């Protein structure tokens, strides 16, 4: 029996790698000892790598949980938030090819540790704007601020009004803008996320390849599933951390919280988004420390691994210049593989669907079902993410238990995507109708609004008031209708202060037939009575969909690996991830954000003039845009997956499938038996799991 290189290589030896003579045979007792050494070493590295995956996944998911907080804090539209989110991919693609190709031949644990430190620095940079920009200021009429002065919201005489309650003259606005500290502070968030992307780059292509090089081949799929499952724990804690921070006011520790007049249910509420980044940064710093025990591996302490033995393979002896000469021929060989190209196309389109969906899922839940940011993050972290983790692990377990080969993996991956997107289709029927907002979704006479919303904000009932169409300080009338501001509701008097303010004699509230009074309270009205029930249905279907889509993750992962020639694996997966990041990770959040912005009914206004963040979305339009774009992209990806299966059926013989199912690592469609076996070569980069792990 021929012993594989994994079983012949001592994982621990005094900083040297024992040469492997593939033609030699060893006694069963010797092979058993070496196998135990290898398994022990790979388990140590597996634990260390899992903690690194936890750290990077936590910071990545926390960013997703703070999308709406960042949008409100910096008063920017969803499209710009999408650019910030995509900056992570930009940083990653800057060095992904170099890391994938050359990194596999260097000291991988040390490179991964350095990447963790860079990632930590980027995470700290994201939080920095909080300490350099001014305190957060939200729109509130003076009568709702803690004060002994009672002002009439409907101001018939502008002379009695503080300047802040009326339209500011342009000269005053310009003067204030010159001193505005936070106008462009979002750039620090973008740069920090870019730095995170650079630091995260070596973790994926080098960590998993290292495991595959030294793991027993029949355990490879299970080990991959274990690492990816461990990575899911990061998003669970990331979203739960996001839930906790969203409950805390953004300027906690800097101001007296008793003076805050808005609650987490208010659309202007901003949580302590920066606090979680400080915590995530500390965890990223600790991640390299967990790798110290794994650094005494079979790799050299040198950066270029060179063996003194004359029988070592060519890649161990090659210099960097010689490695570079192989690059272009390797690319040509790689792109001549039809299965690889088709699977790459399917993955790019599917990730466009998944990344866009995951990025804006918190916003969708908040706007569609009227939930707070804190509750939204809690639900995603505690319900959806575990379903994803279970799905990924189940896929790996199914592959191992039933000995599924390449063709079976393709079928399982396709079936998972098909049924997952089919379930997603049912979410179109689980939405909430628009809240009744006078002048935006209904007229002041409670008929459906058909005219331009800015013109419809003014009516006869508030014509005697000096109101601004740019304000957003919603109040809820006794009639169950939300008004953009107390002034636009025609309220003549107010009582109380802060969150307990009550408005009286509101002329617009009294115009509805169903109205029994003309008073109103601070804050928007709740969604309809059916909305909580719809939200429950949404959660159930969302969890099932998350699990179904995730089951196909590991089979698709293995499919890609088995269809790449041994010496091309590291490069192939580097190209794969580069394509995913450039063609999906960067553009998807941007064009999803642009599409979502088209459904906005009421935009906020910046202190310096210009359009700020959206205050109110059209619920129906948002549902069709968000889910529709996700499903269209997912459907197109399924067609490419069908093409992959067709090519495999055409090129794969039943005997090849049997061999692969029995643990032999067969490549797809190769003509010679020699190419049907893959030994200890660079294996895999994690197929962009930071996003795929949150298939929500």
């Amino acid at each position: 029996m021929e012993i594989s290189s994994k079983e012949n290589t001592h994982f621990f030896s005094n900083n040297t790698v024992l040469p492997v003579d593939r033609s030699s045979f060893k006694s069963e007792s010797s092979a058993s000892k070496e196998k135990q050494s290898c398994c022990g070493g790979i388990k140590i590295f597996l634990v260390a790598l899992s903690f690194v995956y936890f750290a990077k996944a936590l910071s990545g998911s926390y960013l997703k949980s703070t999308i709406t907080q960042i949008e409100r804090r910096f008063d920017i539209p969803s499209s710009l938030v999408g650019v910030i989110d995509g900056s992570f991919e930009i940083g990653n693609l800057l060095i992904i090819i170099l890391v994938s190709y050359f990194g596999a031949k260097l000291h991988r644990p040390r490179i991964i540790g350095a990447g963790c430190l860079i990632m930590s620095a980027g995470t700290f940079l994201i939080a920095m704007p909080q300490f350099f920009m001014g305190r957060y200021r939200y729109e509130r009429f003076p009568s709702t601020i803690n004060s002994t002065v009672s002002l009439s919201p409907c101001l018939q005489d502008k002379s009695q009004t503080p300047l802040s309650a009326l339209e500011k003259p342009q000269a005053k606005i310009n003067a204030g803008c010159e001193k505005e500290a936070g106008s462009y502070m979002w750039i620090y968030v973008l740069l920090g996320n870019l730095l995170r992307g650079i630091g995260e780059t070596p973790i994926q292509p080098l960590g998993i390849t290292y495991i595959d090089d030294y793991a027993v081949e029949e355990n490879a799929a299970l080990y991959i599933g274990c690492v990816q499952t461990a990575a899911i724990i990061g998003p669970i804690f990331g979203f739960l951390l996001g839930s906790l921070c969203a409950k805390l006011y953004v300027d906690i520790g800097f101001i007296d919280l008793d003076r805050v007049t808005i609650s987490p249910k208010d659309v202007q509420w901003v949580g302590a988004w920066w606090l979680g980044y400080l915590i995530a940064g500390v965890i990223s710093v600790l991640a390299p420390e967990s790798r110290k025990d794994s650094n005494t591996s079979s790799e050299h302490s040198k950066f270029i691994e060179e063996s003194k033995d004359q029988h070592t393979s060519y890649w161990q002896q090659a210099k960097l210049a010689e490695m570079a000469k192989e690059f272009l021929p390797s690319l040509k060989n790689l792109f001549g593989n039809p299965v690889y190209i088709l699977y790459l196309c399917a993955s790019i389109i599917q990730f466009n669907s998944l990344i866009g969906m995951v990025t804006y899922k918190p916003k969708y839940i908040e706007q569609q079902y009227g939930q707070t940011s804190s509750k939204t993050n809690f639900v995603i972290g505690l319900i959806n993410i575990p379903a994803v983790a279970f799905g990924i692990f189940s896929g790996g377990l199914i592959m191992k238990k039933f000995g599924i080969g390449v063709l079976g993996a393709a079928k399982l991956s396709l079936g998972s995507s098909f049924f997952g997107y089919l379930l997603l289709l049912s979410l179109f029927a689980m939405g909430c109708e628009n809240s009744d907002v006078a002048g935006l979704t209904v007229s002041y006479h409670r008929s459906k609004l058909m005219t331009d919303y800015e013109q419809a904000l003014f009516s006869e009932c508030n014509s005697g008031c000096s109101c601004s169409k740019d304000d957003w300080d919603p109040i809820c009338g006794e009639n169950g209708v939300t008004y953009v501001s107390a002034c636009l509701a025609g309220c003549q008097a107010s009582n109380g202060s802060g969150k307990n303010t009550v408005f009286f004699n509101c002329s617009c509230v009294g115009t509805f037939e169903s109205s029994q009074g003309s008073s109103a309270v601070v804050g928007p009205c709740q969604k309809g009575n059916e909305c909580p029930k719809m939200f429950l249905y949404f959660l159930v279907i969302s969890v099932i969909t998350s699990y179904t889509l995730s089951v196909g993750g590991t089979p698709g992962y293995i499919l890609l690996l088995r269809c790449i020639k041994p010496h091309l694996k590291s490069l192939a997966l580097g190209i794969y991830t580069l394509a995913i990041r450039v063609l999906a990770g960067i553009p998807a959040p941007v064009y999803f954000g642009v599409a979502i912005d088209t459904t906005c009914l009421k935009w906020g206004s910046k202190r310096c003039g210009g359009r700020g963040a959206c205050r109110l979305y059209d619920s129906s339009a948002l549902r069709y845009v968000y889910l529709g774009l996700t499903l269209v992209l997912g459907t197109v990806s399924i067609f490419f997956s069908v093409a992959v299966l067709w090519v495999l059926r055409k090129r794969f013989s039943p005997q090849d499938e049997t061999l692969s199912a029995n643990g032999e690592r067969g490549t797809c469609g190769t003509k010679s038996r020699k190419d049907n076996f893959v030994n200890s070569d660079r294996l895999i980069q994690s197929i962009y799991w930071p996003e795929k792990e949150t298939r929500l």
Side-chain angles (χ1 to χ4, degrees):
M1 174 181 178
E2 183 175 339
I3 307 299
S4 68
S5 62
K6 293 183 181 64
E7 296 172 337
N8 272 310
T9 303
H10 283 291
F11 202 79
F12 291 100
S13 58
N14 299 325
N15 293 330
T16 58
V17 179
L18 296 180
V20 178
D21 187 353
R22 297 180 183 271
S23 63
S24 64
F25 294 87
K26 294 191 175 187
S27 66
E28 225 171 280
S29 61
S30 176
S32 177
K33 290 180 181 179
E34 292 184 9
K35 184 175 180 180
Q36 289 177 5
S37 175
C38 175
C39 291
I42 202 64
K43 289 178 181 178
I44 293 175
F45 186 84
L46 182 63
V47 172
L49 186 66
S50 296
F51 186 75
V52 173
Y53 262 66
F54 169 83
K56 75 178 183 64
L58 184 145
S59 59
S61 59
Y62 183 76
L63 177 68
K64 299 294 184 186
S65 74
T66 58
I67 286 294
T68 56
Q69 308 291 314
I70 291 174
E71 181 179 331
R72 296 170 186 171
R73 183 64 180 96
F74 298 98
D75 216 6
I76 53 179
S78 296
S79 55
L80 186 51
V81 172
V83 173
I84 293 174
D85 184 76
S87 64
F88 177 88
E89 320 302 341
I90 296 175
N92 194 278
L93 69 88
L94 290 176
I95 60 173
I96 183 64
I97 292 296
L98 294 176
V99 168
S100 297
Y101 189 69
F102 295 110
K105 311 168 194 313
L106 306 178
H107 194 289
R108 286 171 281 184
R110 289 184 178 179
I111 297 175
I112 293 172
C116 289
L117 295 178
I118 296 174
M119 187 169 60
S120 175
T123 307
F124 284 129
L125 183 59
I126 294 176
M128 286 302 101
Q130 174 65 22
F131 303 99
F132 297 112
M133 61 194 304
R135 304 281 75 84
Y136 176 57
R137 284 170 286 190
Y138 48 87
E139 299 174 33
R140 269 291 180 264
F141 188 77
S143 63
T144 64
I145 301 175
N146 294 345
S147 174
T148 57
V149 179
S150 179
L151 297 173
S152 171
C154 179
L155 301 163
Q156 300 182 15
D157 181 7
K158 294 185 180 182
S159 62
Q160 65 173 307
T161 311
L163 187 61
S164 60
L166 296 174
E167 300 282 6
K168 294 185 178 181
Q170 191 62 38
K172 299 260 186 183
I173 292 177
N174 293 336
C177 284
E178 293 176 0
K179 300 178 181 179
E180 184 65 36
S183 300
Y184 297 99
M185 283 301 223
W186 57 267
I187 295 177
Y188 286 93
V189 180
L190 185 146
L191 293 177
N193 203 33
L194 183 111
L195 200 59
R196 278 188 59 247
I198 293 175
E200 187 265 355
T201 304
I203 297 175
Q204 295 186 54
L206 304 186
I208 303 292
T209 59
Y210 191 90
I211 287 180
D212 186 75
D213 283 344
Y214 298 102
V216 178
E217 60 187 21
E218 58 265 23
N219 291 333
L222 181 61
Y223 284 171
I224 291 169
C226 288
V227 171
Q228 303 300 344
T229 302
I232 299 299
I233 300 177
I236 292 176
F237 280 89
F239 277 100
L240 292 179
L241 181 62
S243 174
L244 175 62
C245 293
K247 288 182 179 180
L248 307 175
Y249 186 65
V250 59
D251 292 323
I252 184 173
F254 297 95
I255 64 170
D256 182 6
L257 296 181
D258 292 335
R259 301 180 59 186
V260 178
T261 60
I262 57 176
S263 69
K265 294 183 179 180
D266 197 297
V267 73
Q268 297 184 80
W269 175 269
V270 176
W273 62 276
W274 52 274
L275 184 59
Y277 287 109
L278 296 180
I279 297 174
V282 171
I283 294 175
S284 296
V285 168
L286 296 176
E289 297 297 323
S290 69
R291 312 187 62 84
K292 287 183 177 179
D293 291 337
S294 65
N295 281 344
T296 57
S297 65
S298 62
E299 294 195 4
H300 286 289
S301 59
K302 299 179 182 179
F303 262 54
I304 303 295
E305 298 175 345
E306 297 182 55
S307 176
K308 297 178 181 180
D309 193 271
Q310 59 181 357
H311 297 293
T312 53
S313 58
Y314 171 77
W315 64 269
Q316 286 177 308
Q317 299 173 337
K319 304 297 181 181
L320 289 177
E322 294 172 334
M323 297 174 192
K325 290 180 181 179
E326 300 176 352
F327 185 69
L328 290 179
S330 297
L331 277 180
K332 183 178 179 180
N333 198 328
L334 181 64
F335 287 111
N337 187 332
V339 177
Y340 176 79
I341 294 300
L342 287 172
Y343 187 81
L344 179 63
C345 293
S347 298
I348 289 173
I349 298 173
Q350 185 180 38
F351 275 113
N352 271 274
S353 170
L354 296 176
I355 292 171
M357 179 179 67
V358 170
T359 300
Y360 293 101
K361 187 166 189 177
K363 172 185 281 290
Y364 178 76
I365 293 176
E366 291 175 33
Q367 295 294 331
Q368 186 69 211
Y369 302 102
Q371 303 297 320
T372 65
S373 295
S374 178
K375 185 175 181 179
T376 298
N377 292 328
F378 182 81
V379 166
I380 293 176
L382 204 61
I383 299 178
N384 283 89
I385 301 296
V388 174
F390 186 53
I392 293 174
F393 186 76
S394 297
L397 197 60
I398 291 171
M399 291 284 293
K400 179 176 174 64
K401 183 175 179 60
F402 296 100
I404 296 177
V406 176
L407 199 59
K411 294 177 182 178
L412 184 57
S413 179
L414 174 61
S416 169
S417 296
F418 177 77
F419 287 108
Y421 284 109
L422 194 64
L423 286 168
L424 201 62
L425 185 64
S426 64
L427 294 181
F428 278 100
M430 300 175 189
C432 297
E433 295 298 324
N434 284 318
S435 298
D436 289 340
V437 182
L440 294 179
T441 60
V442 295
S443 70
Y444 282 86
H445 299 287
R446 212 164 192 175
S447 60
K448 291 297 180 183
L449 187 65
M450 302 299 294
T451 57
D452 181 70
Y453 82 89
E454 288 191 348
Q455 299 299 325
L457 285 175
F458 298 99
S459 179
E460 293 181 1
C461 62
N462 57 31
S463 59
C465 304
S466 301
C467 306
S468 169
K469 62 181 176 59
D470 296 325
D471 288 342
W472 177 260
D473 186 7
I475 63 171
C476 180
E478 287 187 34
N479 52 14
V481 176
T482 298
Y483 296 86
V484 173
S485 68
C487 182
L488 288 170
C491 299
Q492 303 294 329
S494 64
N495 185 25
S497 61
K499 302 174 185 177
N500 300 318
T501 302
V502 179
F503 299 95
F504 299 100
N505 300 327
C506 303
S507 56
C508 294
V509 177
T511 60
F512 290 114
E513 296 179 0
S514 60
S515 176
Q516 299 178 352
S518 58
S519 63
V521 295
V522 174
C525 299
Q526 296 298 316
K527 288 270 189 177
N529 295 329
E530 293 296 318
C531 204
K533 185 186 298 184
M534 287 296 179
F535 180 54
L536 182 60
Y537 295 154
F538 170 84
L539 290 181
V540 173
I541 298 299
S542 180
V543 168
I544 298 174
T545 302
S546 298
Y547 174 80
T548 305
L549 286 172
S550 300
V551 166
T554 302
Y557 197 52
I558 297 300
L559 167 64
L560 181 64
L561 300 177
R562 299 299 183 260
C563 291
I564 303 299
K565 290 183 179 180
H567 64 285
L568 295 178
K569 282 185 179 179
S570 182
L571 177 63
L573 289 153
I575 294 292
Y576 177 90
T577 300
L578 175 65
I580 294 296
R581 296 190 186 280
V582 173
L583 302 178
I586 295 174
V590 177
Y591 68 74
F592 261 81
V594 171
I596 289 174
D597 282 343
T598 62
T599 67
C600 184
L601 294 176
K602 179 70 173 72
W603 290 96
S605 297
K606 294 184 178 181
R607 288 174 50 82
C608 301
R611 194 174 73 176
C614 184
R615 304 303 188 194
L616 180 69
Y617 290 89
D618 184 332
S619 294
S620 298
L622 176 62
R623 181 168 67 255
Y624 289 119
V625 166
Y626 174 77
L627 295 178
L629 197 52
T630 300
L631 281 171
V632 168
L633 292 169
T635 302
V636 175
S637 73
I638 288 176
F639 283 111
F640 277 99
S641 297
V642 171
V644 170
L645 185 60
W646 181 78
V647 172
L648 286 175
R649 282 183 175 276
K650 187 176 180 181
R651 304 180 67 181
F652 225 91
S653 67
Q655 182 181 4
D656 292 331
E657 174 67 14
T658 302
L659 287 172
S660 182
N662 289 333
E664 308 275 5
R665 298 187 181 185
T667 58
C668 304
T670 51
K671 296 181 181 180
S672 65
R673 179 178 175 85
K674 179 180 179 180
D675 288 337
N676 281 339
F677 297 94
V678 177
N679 292 313
S680 61
D681 298 280
R682 317 274 84 54
L683 183 60
I684 54 176
Q685 170 174 357
S686 125
I687 306 175
Y688 192 50
W689 285 104
E691 306 299 344
K692 200 166 186 177
E693 69 199 1
T694 48
R695 286 179 161 190
L696 307 178

